[in-house]
């Protein structure tokens, strides 16, 4: 089966611009998660979708971040406007039932 | 709140050396504990896990034992290979959602032939 796919793999933008990250989970996985690793620090939970509904968005840092999962399939994470501290690696993961969490390769975001 | 502390890296070893990466945690409940590995250019992969005290997780020659009395989950391998070079993350789960993880900062392992 295809794994979790993230686009783009790298993105370099200027402060104040908008960036949209995309995640395609494993087909059939209802649970979709976003995590972020900033500046080589710990990986932190951002939010959790169950199908198209936000189950837990307690980790979203502020209202410059908007996550959507239309139709319960792929998800997007938009950062608008981007700030320097948003630089890091954004990971998406999906799961279904008792299956282990599957992570994508991540999107490396650099804000200059 | 809950947290995970793991040793700073990088850890540099020669092939066939013994590996220990320390991990300790703070948790209010009884979380599951995990080790994830990120090989160069790849995503995170679950390496092993333990769900209750005294459980030992093992995979690919790696082992870790859930020690409640010392709140630790140290990763060990008896003989490392160059292919083990990667970043290793210790993590614990939210008691209500085992997919909601709290990670440590990661430890880079470099193994030289």
């Amino acid at each position: 089966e295809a794994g979790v796919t993230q686009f783009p793999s790298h993105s370099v933008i200027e402060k104040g611009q908008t960036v949209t990250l995309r995640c395609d989970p494993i087909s059939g996985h209802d649970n979709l998660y976003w995590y972020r690793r900033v500046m080589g620090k710990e990986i932190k939970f951002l939010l959790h979708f169950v199908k198209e509904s936000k189950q837990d968005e307690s980790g979203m840092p502020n209202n410059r971040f908007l996550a959507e999962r239309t139709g319960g399939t792929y998800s997007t994470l938009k950062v608008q406007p981007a700030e320097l501290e948003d630089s890091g690696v954004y990971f998406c993961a999906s799961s279904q039932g008792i299956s282990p969490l599957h992570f994508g390769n991540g999107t490396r975001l650099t804000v200059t | 709140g809950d947290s995970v502390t793991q040793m700073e890296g990088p850890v540099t070893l020669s092939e066939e050396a013994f590996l220990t990466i320390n991990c300790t945690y703070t948790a209010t409940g009884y979380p599951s504990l995990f080790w994830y590995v990120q090989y160069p250019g790849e995503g995170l992969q679950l390496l092993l896990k333990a769900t209750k005290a005294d459980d030992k997780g093992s995979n690919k020659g790696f082992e870790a034992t859930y020690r409640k009395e010392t709140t630790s989950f140290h990763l060990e391998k008896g003989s490392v290979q160059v292919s083990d070079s990667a970043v290793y993350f210790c993590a614990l789960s939210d008691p209500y959602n085992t997919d909601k993880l709290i990670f440590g900062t990661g430890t880079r392992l470099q193994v030289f032939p």
Side-chain angles (χ1 to χ4, degrees), chain A residues 33 35 37 56 58 95 104-105, chain B residues 43 97 99-101 103-105:
Chain A
Y33 297 82
Y35 285 84
R37 188 183 190 206
D56 180 351
S58 61
S95 71
N105 288 0
Chain B
N97 181 355
D99 288 341
K100 184 178 179 182
L101 302 170
F103 286 89
T105 53

Side-chain angles (χ1 to χ4, degrees), chain B residues 35-104:
Chain B
W35 277 100
Y36 278 81
V37 58
Q38 185 181 20
Y39 297 104
E42 298 183 14
L44 292 163
Q45 300 175 26
L46 177 64
L47 180 60
L48 54 84
K49 70 176 185 181
T51 57
K52 61 183 187 298
D54 299 326
D55 268 2
K56 177 186 283 188
S58 61
N59 185 25
K60 298 182 181 180
F62 290 89
E63 293 182 341
T65 301
Y66 191 138
R67 301 286 188 199
K68 187 169 180 291
E69 64 277 12
T70 55
T71 61
S72 64
F73 193 55
H74 305 320
L75 182 68
E76 296 182 336
K77 186 175 186 183
S79 175
V80 294
Q81 305 300 312
V82 172
S83 56
D84 293 327
S85 297
V87 181
Y88 292 81
F89 294 90
C90 185
L92 62 81
S93 65
D94 182 280
Y96 303 105
N97 181 355
T98 56
D99 288 341
K100 184 178 179 182
L101 302 170
I102 295 171
F103 286 89

Side-chain angles (χ1 to χ4, degrees), chain A residues 56-70:
Chain A
D56 180 351
E57 50 184 333
S58 61
M60 294 289 265
N62 52 61
N63 59 10
R64 294 185 294 103
F65 289 75
L66 175 63
E68 295 180 323
R69 191 181 183 194
T70 307

Side-chain angles (χ1 to χ4, degrees), chain A residues 96-100, chain B residues 49:
Chain A
Q96 178 67 20
I98 61 171
S99 73
Chain B
K49 70 176 185 181

